[in-house]
Amino acid sequence: MFSRVKIKELLANYTIGQEVTVMGWVRTFRNNQFIALNDGSVLTNLQVVVDFENTDPELLKKITTGAAIKAVGEVIASQGKGQAIEVKARLVEVLGVCDPEVYPLQPKKHSLEFLREIAHLRFRTNTFSAVFRVRHHLAMAIHQFFHEKGFVYMHSPIVTGSDAEGAGEMFRVTTLPLDKLPKTESGDIDFKKDFFGKSTNLTVSGQLEAELAALALSEVYTFGPTFRAENSNTSRHLAEFWMIEPEVAFADLKDNMDLAEGLLKYCLNHVMEFCKEDLEFLETRLLEEEKQKPQNERSDMALRDKLRFCLSNPFQRLTYTEAIDILKNSTPNKKGKFQYPIEAWGADLQSEHERYLVEKHFGKPVILTDYPKQIKAFYMRLNEDNNTVRAMDILFPGIGEIVGGSQREERLDVLMARMEEMHIPLEEMQWFLDTRRFGTCPHAGFGLGFERLVLFVTGMTNIRDVIPFPRFPGSAEF
Ligand code: 4AD
Ligand code: MG
């Protein structure tokens, strides 16, 4: 009963006169005759023509927007414009009705905010089906890129007993009864009674575990969900997001930058090749959206031109110190236009500074390296100046930071000194330090925020619209 041809396959490969069975959801039904049918395999709807004079009126009434149907009929050349073929149905069966009186999705434009509230249904719109097909292709491109290079895909744990970034922004995992927490003699919560016999959290990053694997398998990557309980209510932050973290032994910062730039370009190339129709649609969507904005807030390039531009230009590489000089002397800084004025070396860069460098000063993706050690994590390799670390951030137009990484501190004594300085409990991290005790070697890695990549490629403007069910402060719906 369910053998069918997908609309994508049919449109790509058909013979006039062949009989086909198609199934999908009705987008519109015009003149009791023309069904625009979509099965999600492709953006384009298939036109199914109903012989309404010879069809039961009760059945016709059930063909409404949102209904699931099966149609069997002959492939014919289309009379109408806009499509090469259509299916002349000899049989239509309604698999699932959809009451148009209560169905929230009408065949009209809905705002992205409204669709976010009905995220369980938004897959059925052109915009979201396109976004999630592109998201899929990006994920496949990432696996393909690393697989072709001989990396091992490593599954890092989701529940962890360690805090990789040393930041207090984790979600606790516990089965202890919240209304009567067991206490130790000194009055603290007794985590020995908890499920794992210790305090545990959802991971913020798979990096530390990836380092352990890299120091044996030499080239690994993780690609999994990560969780941050930071209270960032922005269009660039999620509390649950997916991160790609490669870790490479016998590699330095230059190798790391080359790998990251190579990965990003591979992904852009891949979607340009495999998501043509969806990207064209998303480009038009973005143009329409930007018409509502004042001229100076619109992008100066169409979506696909922007992707092509990033593909064909080397990313600009410079040090944090050089960037600070540029920012200090920039017009917005001198005119007091930055919300956080750049006064001295050592300042953490805000997104307004990152965007100035990328969008105004260089006009292309930028890789900043060698940040002050004070504003970066403990595991980054200390430079000879004792002041900066071998960090790198990749900044993208409209996005800001898309990648964060570094060469790792492989020297046991330097690493332990840094950890002490930063009050990281050494006792709990012996397993990590063992890599530096037993056959340590130079190595490097980075984290690519998957949703930020999807955001960039699709031209969507809010990160909540590129993950199926976004989690952010105050919201964990569905
Ligand atoms: O810069 P971050 O915090 O780096 C790490 O977690 C390192 N352990 C990575 C590594 O070296 N293996 O995060 C990496 C990237 C950011 O550049 C950003 O793209 C993304 O993860 N990211 C977020 N994406 C969405 N929502 C958030 N709250 C994010 N926080 C970071
Ligand atoms: Mg970062």
Side-chain angles (χ1 to χ4, degrees), residues 305-319:
D305 289 335
K306 189 183 72 177
L307 302 187
R308 267 183 223 111
F309 180 82
C310 288
L311 252 176
S312 51
N313 287 288
F315 297 178
Q316 183 72 42
R317 300 180 182 190
L318 70 155
T319 65

Side-chain angles (χ1 to χ4, degrees), residues 165 205 207 228 230 238 243 245 401-402 408 446-447 449:
E165 305 295 309
S205 157
Q207 176 195 326
R228 299 200 183 172
E230 55 200 338
L238 289 164
M243 187 156 47
E245 296 183 274
E401 180 189 336
I402 193 165
R408 314 307 188 191
F446 63 83

Side-chain angles (χ1 to χ4, degrees), residues 160-170 201-211 226 228 243 245 376-380 419 422 424 429 431-432:
T160 128
S162 86
D163 172 1
E165 305 295 309
E169 50 184 30
M170 305 210 289
N201 302 285
L202 292 178
T203 186
V204 295
S205 157
Q207 176 195 326
L208 300 191
E209 290 88 355
E211 281 191 52
T226 51
R228 299 200 183 172
M243 187 156 47
E245 296 183 274
K376 288 291 180 190
F378 73 91
Y379 49 69
M380 299 189 175
M419 289 170 77
M422 296 176 77
I424 313 248
M429 299 288 284
W431 53 273
F432 183 67

Side-chain angles (χ1 to χ4, degrees), residues 1 8 57 82 85 107 156-157 166 177 187 192-193 210 218 226 246 250 253 255 294 354 357 375-376 406 408 457 473:
M1 175 193 172
K8 180 177 181 169
I85 54 156
S156 46
K192 287 216 175 64
K193 301 227 162 67
S218 77
T226 51
F250 317 114
L253 193 67
D255 301 319
E354 298 177 343
L357 290 170
I375 57 173
K376 288 291 180 190
S406 73
R408 314 307 188 191
V457 168

